[in-house]
Amino acid sequence: MDPTVDNAATWPDAIYVHFRRARIRQVGYVPDAGHSRLIQRCIDDPDIADVVLTTEEEGVGLVAGATLGGQRAALLMQSSGVGNCINMFSLIKNCGFPCLVLVTMRGEFGEFNPAQVPMGSITEESFRLCGFLTYRIENPDDVDEVVGAACDMAFDGNVPIAVLLSQRLIGRKVWSK
Amino acid sequence: MANDAPFKHNSKMMNRLDLTTRLVGKLKNDEAVIGGIGNSNFDLWNAGPRAQNFYMLGSMGLAAPIAFGVALAQPQRRVFALEGDGSLLMQLGCLATIANVAPKNLTIIVWDNAMYQITGSQKTASAGKADFVEIARGAGLAQSAWANDEADFERLIDATLAGDGPWFIAARIDGSTPKGQTPREPVAIKDNFMRGIAIKPA
């Protein structure tokens, strides 16, 4: 793990609790520092198949396959990975698959890396164009309620939904330069 | 112009519909089959509709990742992904992903005619230097092989139905055009598949 990332923040645990409650059995991810605590929770859970992907695109197929096979899945990625997925999201929209994506945002609040800005600044709009609902979280106290609602809408309401974990929430100071 | 470059192996040039029909004919236990975009999917349809087939439309390259998700969700059911060479080249990384998780019930089959057939038969990288079995082995799929001829293809399929995977099978195929196309009804395709493997009530 990146020692410069603040893994003491406990809000990722609230996401994990909802993964358990929603009976999510497959979690695909391209690693991101802001997701590292949640990823470790999933790795440590024998009931969750944690799948490290080579590209976020694969994860869209994984979610579709999990649903076809009767399981629930979630994807973890950073905002740059959303751009990688766009054509693959046609599978979600055309077939009407549920899809839950948790995105750690870059390229916004206090970003130091200009390479993150172009994709980060269009992430939410891209999701909407692809037919996703989006929820944005700025405050750690909102994680539990918003992620719970997102899980319910994704799997009970059968809609694609993205939860954007803002750079302010993740903590802009923690990124190594 | 299929396979006009010197090939890296001595496999016979076969026919996608014939091999797909041979595969489907061996499936007696509601095995799931995920057909990739275009002709892989169309010849899966032409081999005879099955409730346990998922015909992927759009999202080029995702047949193997979809089959992987099904295989994880349904560990007691054998699952096959059928991909074209152009599609697999778009998502080579998924072979490494799958090799590392190593689902015992998953087989990936690539139909290699060395061309983007549906768009005008432009050459793929496998018309030149790329060898799918070498790629799959390098990705960690140790049980990878070219099917040398039709009998060898059937022998390989029998092995996937009897033992522990994951497996990767590459077949050199000709440029025959599918005689019919899958109806483009994605929601019905999804629902039929989920009923076919009893995820949804009939």
Side-chain angles (χ1 to χ4, degrees):
Chain A
M1 255 179 236
D2 185 337
T4 65
V5 173
D6 176 15
N7 282 304
T10 56
W11 57 262
D13 296 350
I15 301 176
Y16 171 71
V17 168
H18 282 295
F19 280 11
R20 292 289 314 186
R21 181 185 63 82
R23 304 186 310 281
I24 288 169
R25 299 291 307 281
Q26 300 186 30
V27 175
Y29 62 93
V30 174
D32 177 67
H35 277 314
S36 60
R37 184 173 174 124
L38 176 59
I39 289 169
Q40 193 59 47
R41 289 284 179 279
C42 295
I43 291 170
D44 292 341
D45 187 334
D47 292 333
I48 292 177
D50 59 287
V51 179
V52 59
L53 309 161
T54 66
T55 166
E56 295 83 357
E57 294 161 77
E58 282 179 55
V60 180
L62 186 78
V63 163
T67 307
L68 287 169
Q71 286 191 343
R72 293 174 170 185
L75 297 181
L76 314 180
M77 64 184 70
Q78 73 170 235
S79 47
S80 53
V82 177
N84 292 345
C85 293
I86 286 177
N87 178 55
M88 302 313 190
F89 284 150
S90 64
L91 179 70
I92 302 295
K93 187 170 187 175
N94 282 341
C95 291
F97 286 119
C99 188
L100 175 66
V101 188
L102 289 109
V103 181
T104 44
M105 292 301 299
R106 296 291 308 270
E108 45 176 37
F109 186 78
E111 177 63 61
F112 64 85
N113 182 353
Q116 293 282 1
V117 176
M119 190 62 227
S121 61
I122 63 168
T123 296
E124 187 161 9
E125 194 172 356
S126 298
F127 267 125
R128 287 180 179 159
L129 288 168
C130 292
F132 280 67
L133 297 179
T134 58
Y135 290 162
R136 184 178 175 84
I137 305 178
E138 300 276 356
N139 186 320
D141 293 338
D142 294 335
V143 170
D144 174 55
E145 184 179 9
V146 173
V147 173
C151 288
D152 292 345
M153 284 201 73
F155 300 114
D156 297 332
N158 203 42
V159 295
I161 187 160
V163 178
L164 309 182
L165 305 165
S166 77
Q167 199 155 358
R168 195 171 190 179
L169 168 72
I170 296 161
R172 69 179 174 118
K173 69 179 186 302
V174 302
W175 304 98
S176 61
K177 297 190 183 183
Chain B
M1 55 155 264
N3 298 326
D4 56 0
F7 239 70
K8 282 79 52 178
H9 52 86
N10 295 317
S11 300
K12 177 185 172 187
M13 187 183 293
M14 295 176 278
N15 177 269
R16 182 178 46 236
L17 176 59
D18 175 55
L19 294 183
T20 306
T21 303
R22 288 170 190 261
L23 165 67
V24 170
K26 289 181 176 291
L27 305 182
K28 308 295 187 193
N29 294 296
D30 291 348
E31 292 87 348
V33 184
I34 312 301
I37 195 171
N39 291 339
S40 303
N41 166 347
F42 299 156
D43 271 343
L44 178 61
W45 175 262
N46 292 325
R50 291 173 75 244
Q52 300 80 22
N53 291 349
F54 181 77
Y55 307 94
M56 194 197 78
L57 307 164
S59 60
M60 181 170 174
L62 288 194
I66 293 169
F68 177 44
V70 175
L72 290 177
Q74 297 264 312
Q76 304 308 316
R77 185 187 307 275
R78 295 188 189 273
V79 183
F80 293 82
L82 308 181
E83 272 290 33
D85 47 336
S87 290
L88 187 58
L89 286 163
M90 197 173 270
Q91 286 294 324
L92 289 175
C94 78
L95 300 177
T97 302
I98 289 166
N100 279 303
V101 177
K104 293 177 178 176
N105 54 334
L106 179 62
T107 302
I108 300 164
I109 297 174
V110 60
W111 307 129
D112 181 14
N113 59 9
M115 57 169 134
Y116 296 97
Q117 184 180 4
I118 216 163
T119 56
S121 301
Q122 300 88 352
K123 289 182 182 179
T124 60
S126 62
K129 306 285 189 186
D131 182 305
F132 285 109
V133 170
E134 297 291 330
I135 290 168
R137 286 203 182 119
L141 293 167
Q143 298 185 101
S144 297
W146 284 98
N148 289 326
D149 56 22
E150 288 85 353
D152 193 42
F153 178 78
E154 293 203 20
R155 180 187 66 82
L156 291 166
I157 296 301
D158 288 342
T160 71
L161 292 171
D164 285 346
W167 298 271
F168 180 92
I169 300 169
R172 186 186 180 207
I173 60 161
D174 61 29
S176 297
T177 303
K179 66 178 191 289
Q181 297 193 355
T182 316
R184 289 181 170 81
E185 300 168 343
V187 175
I189 289 168
K190 174 194 70 172
D191 288 342
N192 288 340
F193 178 88
M194 293 178 75
R195 290 191 183 100
I197 63 169
I199 298 304
K200 277 191 175 185

